[in-house]
Amino acid sequence: KRTAMAMSPIDDRIWRIVGIVLLAGILSLRLVHISADPPFTLDPGQAPYTDPGAYTSYARNQALLGDSNPYHDSRFPLFEHSAISSVAQGVFAFLTPSPSSNAVVALVFSFFTILLVYLALIHSVGRTAGVFFLILIALNENQFFFGRLPFLENAMAFLTIAFCYSPLVECAS
């Protein structure tokens, strides 16, 4: 087992405040101009501009038409029954389906992925590593833009970290 250095309550509070401030800053940065399109230099293909709408189209149909698949099209069951679509249905219940609410769907997954990685790092490696991770991820342009697009990979990354989080923390303690 790892032995942790004794930390005073004041030091512990300072580390928590730093982590909370960084997490709030990361979330705030991603919420600014949430409806903005990603830059054209992000990806040479069309995926950042066309895929997000396709991945949430079934949830959009459910919110607007009351039927997720009004045309009974069976070609894309992965999109209809994905984690992105499930969260999008919840988001669209509160927000009107739009590019901005699509970005909120992506932010749910990317922010909670960042949070879980941060928590796993502070439990397994230490607070310094966790804060260093938050600083790096806050400055990462790819994560900033791709984290605002509801790609299926965002949900996959979140679910992977979520399933691995408990064993990671248990092994570290």
Side-chain angles (χ1 to χ4, degrees), residues 44-159:
Q46 292 298 309
Y49 315 101
T50 58
D51 289 2
Y55 295 147
T56 58
S57 63
Y58 289 97
R60 177 196 160 278
N61 289 343
Q62 183 67 40
L64 296 177
L65 307 173
D67 184 1
S68 64
N69 194 353
Y71 303 112
H72 308 291
D73 185 2
S74 61
R75 292 179 296 164
F76 303 109
L78 176 67
F79 297 171
E80 184 176 8
H81 303 292
S82 69
I84 289 286
S85 189
S86 298
V87 170
Q89 285 183 358
V91 169
F92 294 165
F94 295 103
L95 303 173
T96 305
S98 68
S100 297
S101 55
N102 264 355
V104 170
V105 171
L107 277 175
V108 167
F109 285 108
S110 68
F111 180 74
F112 283 107
T113 301
I114 290 169
L115 177 65
L116 286 178
V117 170
Y118 167 68
L119 292 173
L121 282 171
I122 64 172
H123 284 98
S124 61
V125 182
R127 295 179 192 275
T128 306
V131 167
F132 187 62
F133 163 75
L134 289 179
I135 292 168
L136 289 178
I137 206 74
L139 300 174
N140 186 299
E141 181 184 16
N142 281 330
Q143 207 290 326
F144 179 82
F145 286 108
F146 282 114
R148 290 168 47 147
L149 298 170
F151 286 122
L152 298 177
E153 290 86 348
N154 288 345
M156 181 185 65
F158 169 74
L159 293 171

